[in-house]
Amino acid sequence: MSNYHIKHLEEYFQVYRKSVRNPESFWEEIAEEHFLWRKKWDNVLDWDFSKPEIKWFEGAKLNITENCIDRHLTTRGEKTALLFEPNDPNEAAEHITYRQLHERVCRMANVLKDHGIKKGDRVCIYLPMIPELAISLLACARIGAIHSVVFAGFSSNALASRINDSDCKMVLTSDGSYRGSKTIDLKGIVDRALNDCPSVENVLVVNRINSDIEMKEGRDKWLQPLLDAAYSDCVAEIMDAEDPLFILYTSGSTGKPKGMVHTTGGYMVYTAYTFKNVFQYRENDIYWCTADIGWITGHSYIVYGPLANGATTVMFEGVPSYPDFGRFWDVIEKHKINQFYTAPTAIRALAKQSLEFVEKHDLSSLKVLGSVGEPINEEAWHWYNTNVGKHNSPIVDTWWQTETGGIMITPIPYVTPTTPTYATLPFIGVQPALMDEDGKELKGNKVEGRLCIKFPWPGMARTIWGNHDRYRDTYFSAYKDMYFSGDGALRDAVGYYRITGRVDDVVIVSGHNLGTAPIEDAINEHPAVAESAIVGFPHDVKGNALYGFVILKEIGESRDRDNLRKEINQQITEHIGPIAKLDKIQFVSGLPKTRSAKIMRRILRKIASKDTSNLGDTSTLLNPEVIEEIMENSL
Ligand code: WTA
């Protein structure tokens, strides 16, 4: 019997040792006993981080939707698979059973096929948090198409570049979306994006808000009539374990977003196994992750991980502040949520509101609280633990990334003693290493360095779509034979890990990864801007916010500064989306540069954070005089 469900600390250590000493036999046992394969693998693992090439369960055949849906039909057919909680609390929640999910996924899969989508084709999904979103992912997986979900808060430019990067043949979207008291015109955004996307043949549109939209002849169709007419069963395409399942874009510190490619077999095993243990999921628990499926957290821990375990997974369309700041607590009470997984930025925002919002709700169903996406500060941790968990529900601070596919460093609730701000111990099978800047591994405890992983795990991304060299250069070239995460971390006296934050030019704002280079590119296109540099600075709700240092061309010098600031943020909204807007914009006459003309961001970061007591060595700068001016006028 494999150790599928870990129940006490000794067992964790014992299983961890087993998983590290003999990873192949460990993962083979898990894969064999808990999943449905059409054919078993010839080889459990083949890897070489220098190429990098990583293959798990090579030769195996499966379809992930048979694991997430079909195999549950005999025992859990009438159990709720997806529980949809709409934006408006007065609209009824929708319970979609495993049997209904099967039918809806099959119908959607048949519609995709009827529109020429075949195994290996890319389908872009730009939908709000409605059931059709989860169903679209699964429908693609059913027929072997590769889904590329773009978070429906990205702008038309950002959407177009993602569609073009992977030549998507189809876009699935909706007329619009609800967001609290507002509606958003999603179809309009798609239309603008598609002016520039030659690969897209069809746009299928869900009617969510009943708005009057334009439908382009021959390209756009309403989805519902097609679903109604489609056959309700669809044979699952048999996939290789290493066939791509999806592409998901994440920001890099430079250049355009990276389309991380996840494959089928290993991803399935890893997300399912982590879900079971990190949330101590038991049959009939009701599980809620508040992330959007547009991010990796939603892919792995709203859709694939929970469904592979036959769980009931909640999809929430709304926002934490609508109709008031008690919405999360209201939903927990209403659906008797057992596991609740959210982001520190949401906790901080809610902690600022009156405690009455929490106190008037019965949260006694909760057993596990989760946190993801950014470091959780001590104050937020205690607020969460006291007011939501009532000191009764362990908090799992889960560290992982789009690239890792699943949770990597985390407590196991009721197993690992927790400490605020610590992600604690590596998950089973995960072998972290802390490295110094010279490439030496820091052994032992009480050390701080750059967080790497020494050995493959089944859920890791296999490449960047269309750019394997970039995959190697970004993740596998900083340290030999190691995956480099881009994060810093420390290991304390007892061996617990604490993530200290990004060590590159990615800034995490409200839990969203934002590369500073693409934002600078967007600003620099403004006709009045000559050059700019963006850095992050601490923010009490968002974790980090963005600070822009902007040099104006002469034409900009005479213009009204506040108007310019608005225009610059408008420019960012159009190129990337409102999530990347700058909180502060300072106009400067120059930027501190090294002799090789690189901007010294370290200094700008300190100025933006109002931490100027020790700016470090500035003698090597080309233009040290500019620092004084920047400090004097800082915002
Ligand atoms: C950060 C989200 C501290 C980290 C799953 C990482 C965290 C980036 C934590 C990945 C955590 C995520 N503590 N930092 N528990 N979880 N991060 O790709 O910097 O959207 O590299 O994946 O978020 O963000 P991504």
Side-chain angles (χ1 to χ4, degrees), residues 424-426 432-436 440-451 454 489-498:
T424 74
L425 297 171
L434 297 179
M435 309 296 291
D436 71 11
K440 263 208 340 273
E441 183 174 350
L442 300 158
K443 305 255 175 153
N445 289 341
K446 290 212 208 167
V447 288
E448 180 168 355
R450 294 170 175 220
L451 179 57
K454 304 196 235 200
L490 61 81
R491 191 163 51 226
D492 76 356
V494 299
Y496 272 16
Y497 288 84
R498 175 188 192 163

PDB file of all heavy atoms in Angstrom, residues 424-426 432-436 440-451 454 489-498:
ATOM      1  N   THR A 424       7.428  26.127   6.164  1.00  0.00           N
ATOM      2  CA  THR A 424       7.924  24.957   6.914  1.00  0.00           C
ATOM      3  C   THR A 424       8.733  23.962   6.085  1.00  0.00           C
ATOM      4  O   THR A 424       9.848  24.258   5.700  1.00  0.00           O
ATOM      5  CB  THR A 424       6.822  24.228   7.735  1.00  0.00           C
ATOM      6  OG1 THR A 424       5.964  23.495   6.877  1.00  0.00           O
ATOM      7  CG2 THR A 424       6.035  25.191   8.605  1.00  0.00           C
ATOM      8  N   LEU A 425       8.172  22.788   5.759  1.00  0.00           N
ATOM      9  CA  LEU A 425       9.000  21.695   5.243  1.00  0.00           C
ATOM     10  C   LEU A 425       8.659  21.338   3.799  1.00  0.00           C
ATOM     11  O   LEU A 425       7.533  21.553   3.348  1.00  0.00           O
ATOM     12  CB  LEU A 425       8.791  20.453   6.130  1.00  0.00           C
ATOM     13  CG  LEU A 425       9.238  20.610   7.585  1.00  0.00           C
ATOM     14  CD1 LEU A 425       8.801  19.413   8.424  1.00  0.00           C
ATOM     15  CD2 LEU A 425      10.760  20.777   7.658  1.00  0.00           C
ATOM     16  N   PRO A 426       9.649  20.772   3.096  1.00  0.00           N
ATOM     17  CA  PRO A 426       9.359  20.365   1.717  1.00  0.00           C
ATOM     18  C   PRO A 426       8.265  19.302   1.674  1.00  0.00           C
ATOM     19  O   PRO A 426       8.197  18.438   2.548  1.00  0.00           O
ATOM     20  CB  PRO A 426      10.688  19.795   1.221  1.00  0.00           C
ATOM     21  CG  PRO A 426      11.499  19.524   2.443  1.00  0.00           C
ATOM     22  CD  PRO A 426      11.036  20.479   3.485  1.00  0.00           C
ATOM     23  N   PRO A 432      14.666  20.587  -1.817  1.00  0.00           N
ATOM     24  CA  PRO A 432      15.140  21.962  -1.966  1.00  0.00           C
ATOM     25  C   PRO A 432      16.628  22.094  -1.633  1.00  0.00           C
ATOM     26  O   PRO A 432      17.182  21.269  -0.905  1.00  0.00           O
ATOM     27  CB  PRO A 432      14.307  22.737  -0.934  1.00  0.00           C
ATOM     28  CG  PRO A 432      13.645  21.736  -0.066  1.00  0.00           C
ATOM     29  CD  PRO A 432      13.912  20.374  -0.582  1.00  0.00           C
ATOM     30  N   ALA A 433      17.221  23.159  -2.175  1.00  0.00           N
ATOM     31  CA  ALA A 433      18.596  23.498  -1.825  1.00  0.00           C
ATOM     32  C   ALA A 433      18.681  25.012  -1.769  1.00  0.00           C
ATOM     33  O   ALA A 433      18.021  25.694  -2.544  1.00  0.00           O
ATOM     34  CB  ALA A 433      19.552  22.966  -2.888  1.00  0.00           C
ATOM     35  N   LEU A 434      19.481  25.539  -0.839  1.00  0.00           N
ATOM     36  CA  LEU A 434      19.726  26.980  -0.810  1.00  0.00           C
ATOM     37  C   LEU A 434      21.143  27.215  -1.317  1.00  0.00           C
ATOM     38  O   LEU A 434      22.082  26.540  -0.890  1.00  0.00           O
ATOM     39  CB  LEU A 434      19.554  27.524   0.613  1.00  0.00           C
ATOM     40  CG  LEU A 434      18.139  27.390   1.182  1.00  0.00           C
ATOM     41  CD1 LEU A 434      18.074  27.935   2.608  1.00  0.00           C
ATOM     42  CD2 LEU A 434      17.124  28.100   0.297  1.00  0.00           C
ATOM     43  N   MET A 435      21.279  28.163  -2.242  1.00  0.00           N
ATOM     44  CA  MET A 435      22.562  28.382  -2.904  1.00  0.00           C
ATOM     45  C   MET A 435      23.065  29.786  -2.605  1.00  0.00           C
ATOM     46  O   MET A 435      22.261  30.713  -2.485  1.00  0.00           O
ATOM     47  CB  MET A 435      22.391  28.250  -4.420  1.00  0.00           C
ATOM     48  CG  MET A 435      21.697  26.976  -4.866  1.00  0.00           C
ATOM     49  SD  MET A 435      22.619  25.488  -4.465  1.00  0.00           S
ATOM     50  CE  MET A 435      23.997  25.667  -5.585  1.00  0.00           C
ATOM     51  N   ASP A 436      24.380  29.925  -2.521  1.00  0.00           N
ATOM     52  CA  ASP A 436      24.895  31.286  -2.377  1.00  0.00           C
ATOM     53  C   ASP A 436      25.152  31.873  -3.767  1.00  0.00           C
ATOM     54  O   ASP A 436      24.993  31.181  -4.777  1.00  0.00           O
ATOM     55  CB  ASP A 436      26.130  31.324  -1.468  1.00  0.00           C
ATOM     56  CG  ASP A 436      27.358  30.711  -2.122  1.00  0.00           C
ATOM     57  OD1 ASP A 436      27.320  30.438  -3.348  1.00  0.00           O
ATOM     58  OD2 ASP A 436      28.354  30.501  -1.403  1.00  0.00           O
ATOM     59  N   LYS A 440      27.508  27.932  -4.640  1.00  0.00           N
ATOM     60  CA  LYS A 440      27.769  26.862  -3.668  1.00  0.00           C
ATOM     61  C   LYS A 440      26.512  26.566  -2.876  1.00  0.00           C
ATOM     62  O   LYS A 440      25.789  27.478  -2.490  1.00  0.00           O
ATOM     63  CB  LYS A 440      28.870  27.305  -2.694  1.00  0.00           C
ATOM     64  CG  LYS A 440      30.227  26.793  -3.068  1.00  0.00           C
ATOM     65  CD  LYS A 440      31.203  26.601  -1.903  1.00  0.00           C
ATOM     66  CE  LYS A 440      30.960  27.328  -0.616  1.00  0.00           C
ATOM     67  NZ  LYS A 440      31.536  28.684  -0.563  1.00  0.00           N
ATOM     68  N   GLU A 441      26.279  25.284  -2.615  1.00  0.00           N
ATOM     69  CA  GLU A 441      25.104  24.951  -1.808  1.00  0.00           C
ATOM     70  C   GLU A 441      25.374  25.234  -0.333  1.00  0.00           C
ATOM     71  O   GLU A 441      26.428  24.879   0.194  1.00  0.00           O
ATOM     72  CB  GLU A 441      24.720  23.480  -1.995  1.00  0.00           C
ATOM     73  CG  GLU A 441      23.457  23.157  -1.210  1.00  0.00           C
ATOM     74  CD  GLU A 441      22.901  21.757  -1.432  1.00  0.00           C
ATOM     75  OE1 GLU A 441      23.369  21.052  -2.345  1.00  0.00           O
ATOM     76  OE2 GLU A 441      21.986  21.383  -0.675  1.00  0.00           O
ATOM     77  N   LEU A 442      24.406  25.879   0.304  1.00  0.00           N
ATOM     78  CA  LEU A 442      24.535  26.174   1.730  1.00  0.00           C
ATOM     79  C   LEU A 442      23.920  25.011   2.489  1.00  0.00           C
ATOM     80  O   LEU A 442      22.712  24.807   2.466  1.00  0.00           O
ATOM     81  CB  LEU A 442      23.794  27.473   2.056  1.00  0.00           C
ATOM     82  CG  LEU A 442      24.325  28.691   1.301  1.00  0.00           C
ATOM     83  CD1 LEU A 442      23.285  29.789   1.228  1.00  0.00           C
ATOM     84  CD2 LEU A 442      25.598  29.179   1.973  1.00  0.00           C
ATOM     85  N   LYS A 443      24.812  24.230   3.122  1.00  0.00           N
ATOM     86  CA  LYS A 443      24.310  23.040   3.824  1.00  0.00           C
ATOM     87  C   LYS A 443      23.971  23.395   5.256  1.00  0.00           C
ATOM     88  O   LYS A 443      24.389  24.428   5.760  1.00  0.00           O
ATOM     89  CB  LYS A 443      25.373  21.950   3.801  1.00  0.00           C
ATOM     90  CG  LYS A 443      25.856  21.607   2.399  1.00  0.00           C
ATOM     91  CD  LYS A 443      25.283  20.308   1.934  1.00  0.00           C
ATOM     92  CE  LYS A 443      25.698  20.091   0.499  1.00  0.00           C
ATOM     93  NZ  LYS A 443      25.813  18.827  -0.001  1.00  0.00           N
ATOM     94  N   GLY A 444      23.265  22.513   5.908  1.00  0.00           N
ATOM     95  CA  GLY A 444      22.961  22.703   7.321  1.00  0.00           C
ATOM     96  C   GLY A 444      21.872  23.733   7.537  1.00  0.00           C
ATOM     97  O   GLY A 444      21.283  24.238   6.588  1.00  0.00           O
ATOM     98  N   ASN A 445      21.617  24.033   8.809  1.00  0.00           N
ATOM     99  CA  ASN A 445      20.533  24.956   9.136  1.00  0.00           C
ATOM    100  C   ASN A 445      21.059  26.351   9.429  1.00  0.00           C
ATOM    101  O   ASN A 445      22.256  26.577   9.442  1.00  0.00           O
ATOM    102  CB  ASN A 445      19.719  24.406  10.299  1.00  0.00           C
ATOM    103  CG  ASN A 445      18.902  23.210   9.841  1.00  0.00           C
ATOM    104  OD1 ASN A 445      18.686  23.033   8.636  1.00  0.00           O
ATOM    105  ND2 ASN A 445      18.472  22.389  10.783  1.00  0.00           N
ATOM    106  N   LYS A 446      20.126  27.279   9.635  1.00  0.00           N
ATOM    107  CA  LYS A 446      20.441  28.690   9.848  1.00  0.00           C
ATOM    108  C   LYS A 446      21.242  29.246   8.674  1.00  0.00           C
ATOM    109  O   LYS A 446      22.351  29.768   8.853  1.00  0.00           O
ATOM    110  CB  LYS A 446      21.234  28.853  11.148  1.00  0.00           C
ATOM    111  CG  LYS A 446      20.399  28.603  12.385  1.00  0.00           C
ATOM    112  CD  LYS A 446      20.934  29.494  13.473  1.00  0.00           C
ATOM    113  CE  LYS A 446      20.702  28.910  14.839  1.00  0.00           C
ATOM    114  NZ  LYS A 446      21.403  29.519  15.901  1.00  0.00           N
ATOM    115  N   VAL A 447      20.702  29.101   7.484  1.00  0.00           N
ATOM    116  CA  VAL A 447      21.350  29.659   6.291  1.00  0.00           C
ATOM    117  C   VAL A 447      20.284  30.360   5.447  1.00  0.00           C
ATOM    118  O   VAL A 447      19.098  30.063   5.549  1.00  0.00           O
ATOM    119  CB  VAL A 447      22.042  28.576   5.426  1.00  0.00           C
ATOM    120  CG1 VAL A 447      23.287  28.056   6.110  1.00  0.00           C
ATOM    121  CG2 VAL A 447      21.079  27.433   5.093  1.00  0.00           C
ATOM    122  N   GLU A 448      20.747  31.303   4.634  1.00  0.00           N
ATOM    123  CA  GLU A 448      19.835  32.014   3.755  1.00  0.00           C
ATOM    124  C   GLU A 448      20.456  32.118   2.373  1.00  0.00           C
ATOM    125  O   GLU A 448      21.637  32.420   2.240  1.00  0.00           O
ATOM    126  CB  GLU A 448      19.557  33.422   4.313  1.00  0.00           C
ATOM    127  CG  GLU A 448      18.622  34.198   3.427  1.00  0.00           C
ATOM    128  CD  GLU A 448      18.083  35.481   4.076  1.00  0.00           C
ATOM    129  OE1 GLU A 448      18.367  35.722   5.268  1.00  0.00           O
ATOM    130  OE2 GLU A 448      17.376  36.217   3.368  1.00  0.00           O
ATOM    131  N   GLY A 449      19.655  31.831   1.340  1.00  0.00           N
ATOM    132  CA  GLY A 449      20.204  31.886  -0.012  1.00  0.00           C
ATOM    133  C   GLY A 449      19.113  31.848  -1.053  1.00  0.00           C
ATOM    134  O   GLY A 449      17.976  32.231  -0.790  1.00  0.00           O
ATOM    135  N   ARG A 450      19.493  31.377  -2.237  1.00  0.00           N
ATOM    136  CA  ARG A 450      18.530  31.321  -3.337  1.00  0.00           C
ATOM    137  C   ARG A 450      17.931  29.925  -3.416  1.00  0.00           C
ATOM    138  O   ARG A 450      18.648  28.937  -3.350  1.00  0.00           O
ATOM    139  CB  ARG A 450      19.237  31.691  -4.626  1.00  0.00           C
ATOM    140  CG  ARG A 450      19.644  33.123  -4.495  1.00  0.00           C
ATOM    141  CD  ARG A 450      20.544  33.635  -5.549  1.00  0.00           C
ATOM    142  NE  ARG A 450      20.680  35.060  -5.263  1.00  0.00           N
ATOM    143  CZ  ARG A 450      20.697  36.017  -6.165  1.00  0.00           C
ATOM    144  NH1 ARG A 450      20.615  35.700  -7.429  1.00  0.00           N
ATOM    145  NH2 ARG A 450      20.792  37.277  -5.815  1.00  0.00           N
ATOM    146  N   LEU A 451      16.631  29.902  -3.572  1.00  0.00           N
ATOM    147  CA  LEU A 451      15.919  28.634  -3.459  1.00  0.00           C
ATOM    148  C   LEU A 451      15.937  27.866  -4.783  1.00  0.00           C
ATOM    149  O   LEU A 451      15.432  28.346  -5.799  1.00  0.00           O
ATOM    150  CB  LEU A 451      14.481  28.920  -3.013  1.00  0.00           C
ATOM    151  CG  LEU A 451      13.544  27.726  -2.863  1.00  0.00           C
ATOM    152  CD1 LEU A 451      14.113  26.694  -1.888  1.00  0.00           C
ATOM    153  CD2 LEU A 451      12.182  28.211  -2.372  1.00  0.00           C
ATOM    154  N   LYS A 454      16.708  20.281  -6.366  1.00  0.00           N
ATOM    155  CA  LYS A 454      17.782  19.451  -6.912  1.00  0.00           C
ATOM    156  C   LYS A 454      17.333  18.270  -7.745  1.00  0.00           C
ATOM    157  O   LYS A 454      18.159  17.617  -8.365  1.00  0.00           O
ATOM    158  CB  LYS A 454      18.576  18.803  -5.770  1.00  0.00           C
ATOM    159  CG  LYS A 454      19.165  19.682  -4.776  1.00  0.00           C
ATOM    160  CD  LYS A 454      20.188  18.857  -4.028  1.00  0.00           C
ATOM    161  CE  LYS A 454      19.885  18.915  -2.560  1.00  0.00           C
ATOM    162  NZ  LYS A 454      21.034  18.559  -1.732  1.00  0.00           N
ATOM    163  N   ALA A 489      15.221  32.348   0.112  1.00  0.00           N
ATOM    164  CA  ALA A 489      14.610  31.678   1.264  1.00  0.00           C
ATOM    165  C   ALA A 489      15.651  31.483   2.350  1.00  0.00           C
ATOM    166  O   ALA A 489      16.858  31.512   2.078  1.00  0.00           O
ATOM    167  CB  ALA A 489      14.041  30.323   0.853  1.00  0.00           C
ATOM    168  N   LEU A 490      15.165  31.297   3.563  1.00  0.00           N
ATOM    169  CA  LEU A 490      16.088  30.909   4.624  1.00  0.00           C
ATOM    170  C   LEU A 490      15.612  29.600   5.239  1.00  0.00           C
ATOM    171  O   LEU A 490      14.442  29.228   5.114  1.00  0.00           O
ATOM    172  CB  LEU A 490      16.196  32.004   5.684  1.00  0.00           C
ATOM    173  CG  LEU A 490      14.966  32.435   6.465  1.00  0.00           C
ATOM    174  CD1 LEU A 490      14.671  31.471   7.617  1.00  0.00           C
ATOM    175  CD2 LEU A 490      15.215  33.834   7.032  1.00  0.00           C
ATOM    176  N   ARG A 491      16.577  28.901   5.840  1.00  0.00           N
ATOM    177  CA  ARG A 491      16.251  27.671   6.568  1.00  0.00           C
ATOM    178  C   ARG A 491      16.661  27.916   8.012  1.00  0.00           C
ATOM    179  O   ARG A 491      17.805  28.280   8.267  1.00  0.00           O
ATOM    180  CB  ARG A 491      17.043  26.503   5.959  1.00  0.00           C
ATOM    181  CG  ARG A 491      16.620  25.142   6.433  1.00  0.00           C
ATOM    182  CD  ARG A 491      17.133  24.024   5.507  1.00  0.00           C
ATOM    183  NE  ARG A 491      18.555  24.165   5.266  1.00  0.00           N
ATOM    184  CZ  ARG A 491      19.135  24.061   4.072  1.00  0.00           C
ATOM    185  NH1 ARG A 491      18.436  23.802   2.986  1.00  0.00           N
ATOM    186  NH2 ARG A 491      20.442  24.225   3.939  1.00  0.00           N
ATOM    187  N   ASP A 492      15.734  27.798   8.928  1.00  0.00           N
ATOM    188  CA  ASP A 492      16.025  28.191  10.309  1.00  0.00           C
ATOM    189  C   ASP A 492      16.652  27.034  11.093  1.00  0.00           C
ATOM    190  O   ASP A 492      16.981  25.988  10.519  1.00  0.00           O
ATOM    191  CB  ASP A 492      14.757  28.744  10.983  1.00  0.00           C
ATOM    192  CG  ASP A 492      13.769  27.640  11.376  1.00  0.00           C
ATOM    193  OD1 ASP A 492      14.032  26.448  11.063  1.00  0.00           O
ATOM    194  OD2 ASP A 492      12.739  27.962  11.995  1.00  0.00           O
ATOM    195  N   ALA A 493      16.772  27.234  12.393  1.00  0.00           N
ATOM    196  CA  ALA A 493      17.492  26.265  13.223  1.00  0.00           C
ATOM    197  C   ALA A 493      16.869  24.873  13.202  1.00  0.00           C
ATOM    198  O   ALA A 493      17.564  23.874  13.360  1.00  0.00           O
ATOM    199  CB  ALA A 493      17.566  26.785  14.653  1.00  0.00           C
ATOM    200  N   VAL A 494      15.550  24.783  12.996  1.00  0.00           N
ATOM    201  CA  VAL A 494      14.946  23.449  12.978  1.00  0.00           C
ATOM    202  C   VAL A 494      14.736  22.920  11.557  1.00  0.00           C
ATOM    203  O   VAL A 494      14.148  21.856  11.362  1.00  0.00           O
ATOM    204  CB  VAL A 494      13.599  23.401  13.744  1.00  0.00           C
ATOM    205  CG1 VAL A 494      13.792  23.762  15.201  1.00  0.00           C
ATOM    206  CG2 VAL A 494      12.543  24.295  13.100  1.00  0.00           C
ATOM    207  N   GLY A 495      15.208  23.683  10.574  1.00  0.00           N
ATOM    208  CA  GLY A 495      15.095  23.197   9.193  1.00  0.00           C
ATOM    209  C   GLY A 495      13.841  23.683   8.472  1.00  0.00           C
ATOM    210  O   GLY A 495      13.543  23.226   7.369  1.00  0.00           O
ATOM    211  N   TYR A 496      13.117  24.595   9.088  1.00  0.00           N
ATOM    212  CA  TYR A 496      11.935  25.153   8.432  1.00  0.00           C
ATOM    213  C   TYR A 496      12.351  26.207   7.404  1.00  0.00           C
ATOM    214  O   TYR A 496      13.259  27.001   7.658  1.00  0.00           O
ATOM    215  CB  TYR A 496      11.025  25.847   9.468  1.00  0.00           C
ATOM    216  CG  TYR A 496      10.015  24.939  10.133  1.00  0.00           C
ATOM    217  CD1 TYR A 496      10.135  23.560  10.083  1.00  0.00           C
ATOM    218  CD2 TYR A 496       8.928  25.485  10.824  1.00  0.00           C
ATOM    219  CE1 TYR A 496       9.195  22.742  10.713  1.00  0.00           C
ATOM    220  CE2 TYR A 496       7.986  24.676  11.445  1.00  0.00           C
ATOM    221  CZ  TYR A 496       8.126  23.308  11.386  1.00  0.00           C
ATOM    222  OH  TYR A 496       7.199  22.515  11.996  1.00  0.00           O
ATOM    223  N   TYR A 497      11.609  26.228   6.290  1.00  0.00           N
ATOM    224  CA  TYR A 497      11.888  27.218   5.249  1.00  0.00           C
ATOM    225  C   TYR A 497      10.970  28.416   5.395  1.00  0.00           C
ATOM    226  O   TYR A 497       9.774  28.266   5.676  1.00  0.00           O
ATOM    227  CB  TYR A 497      11.665  26.617   3.851  1.00  0.00           C
ATOM    228  CG  TYR A 497      12.737  25.638   3.477  1.00  0.00           C
ATOM    229  CD1 TYR A 497      12.664  24.304   3.881  1.00  0.00           C
ATOM    230  CD2 TYR A 497      13.844  26.051   2.743  1.00  0.00           C
ATOM    231  CE1 TYR A 497      13.659  23.405   3.562  1.00  0.00           C
ATOM    232  CE2 TYR A 497      14.854  25.156   2.416  1.00  0.00           C
ATOM    233  CZ  TYR A 497      14.743  23.831   2.829  1.00  0.00           C
ATOM    234  OH  TYR A 497      15.736  22.948   2.506  1.00  0.00           O
ATOM    235  N   ARG A 498      11.561  29.594   5.151  1.00  0.00           N
ATOM    236  CA  ARG A 498      10.777  30.812   5.061  1.00  0.00           C
ATOM    237  C   ARG A 498      11.157  31.486   3.751  1.00  0.00           C
ATOM    238  O   ARG A 498      12.337  31.695   3.463  1.00  0.00           O
ATOM    239  CB  ARG A 498      11.129  31.719   6.226  1.00  0.00           C
ATOM    240  CG  ARG A 498      10.449  33.043   6.135  1.00  0.00           C
ATOM    241  CD  ARG A 498      10.980  33.968   7.207  1.00  0.00           C
ATOM    242  NE  ARG A 498      10.124  35.122   7.295  1.00  0.00           N
ATOM    243  CZ  ARG A 498      10.110  35.954   8.312  1.00  0.00           C
ATOM    244  NH1 ARG A 498      10.886  35.740   9.350  1.00  0.00           N
ATOM    245  NH2 ARG A 498       9.324  37.001   8.299  1.00  0.00           N
TER     246      ARG A 498
END
